[in-house]
Amino acid sequence: KTFTNRVDGVAGGPATAVLTVRLQGTTAAGRSRDHWAIISVNDTVVGEGRWVGQTATNLVLSFDQSLLVEGDNRIAISAEVEPMVSFSTFYLDWIELTYQRQYEAVNDQLVFRGGAEGGVTLTGLSVGDVQVLDLGDPRAPIPLTSMLIEPSGPGWQATFEVAPGAPCAAFTIGG
């Protein structure tokens, strides 16, 4: 089965993407390995996993993010049958893809984490009225009050400091 996952703002240069696939076994053959899944991204195998019985497993697969393309990406899960196992049935629970991306808003918004250096320049904004929230405590977001907002190409950009790795959300007001 192939699934489509939209990817925006893929950063250039060397970087590692991580694909986590949660699968749930529904059959048990009484063998040491009942299920065998092979995972591909855009027609390139990035890993596989084997597990037993009616249990769940998380396959955490690292790969060179140059396999990703801007826009729609194909994530394929194929099933193989282990030797001495007559059949295997499992289903997909969820897929999560993390990758290094540019700080570029999509539809005037972006949820992101602060980079290693802490400084962020967010581009791709249609208006200059920008709000950035530190989501370190999601029940009490903290608005950032110090940022430089300036024209950039056909739109606007905002430059500000956030703690490295800090979860943040940015959006425009009135765009």
Side-chain angles (χ1 to χ4, degrees):
K1 176 83 177 164
T2 300
F3 303 89
T4 301
N5 191 323
R6 178 147 184 94
V7 172
D8 294 305
V10 179
T16 299
V18 178
L19 178 67
T20 304
V21 180
R22 172 98 170 166
L23 300 169
Q24 173 69 49
T26 60
T27 55
R31 302 280 182 203
S32 61
R33 294 186 300 210
D34 292 325
H35 311 292
W36 182 7
I38 300 171
I39 314 300
S40 301
V41 174
N42 294 326
D43 302 320
T44 299
V45 173
V46 295
E48 62 182 67
R50 294 176 163 103
W51 73 104
V52 177
Q54 297 173 334
T55 60
T57 190
N58 287 346
L59 304 182
V60 180
L61 310 169
S62 298
F63 62 94
D64 188 322
Q65 87 171 29
S66 66
L67 289 177
L68 298 174
V69 297
E70 189 77 18
D72 290 340
N73 289 262
R74 294 174 315 283
I75 298 173
I77 302 171
S78 61
E80 296 290 332
V81 178
E82 289 283 354
M84 306 298 291
V85 173
S86 57
F87 64 94
S88 166
T89 305
F90 60 86
Y91 66 85
L92 171 67
D93 190 1
W94 49 261
I95 295 173
E96 177 182 80
L97 176 64
T98 57
Y99 62 97
Q100 229 176 25
R101 67 164 291 152
Q102 301 170 7
Y103 293 110
E104 183 177 10
V106 176
N107 297 322
D108 280 337
Q109 57 188 337
L110 182 65
V111 176
F112 62 95
R113 290 192 175 276
E117 303 299 317
V120 171
T121 297
L122 176 63
T123 62
L125 303 165
S126 66
V127 297
D129 195 357
V130 180
Q131 178 74 63
V132 179
L133 302 174
D134 180 333
L135 303 175
D137 179 355
R139 292 172 289 171
I142 301 169
L144 299 185
T145 57
S146 178
M147 71 179 82
L148 173 63
I149 300 171
E150 56 192 350
S152 173
W156 295 81
Q157 70 180 26
T159 302
F160 46 89
E161 293 288 325
V162 295
C168 298
F171 52 92
T172 61
I173 300 170

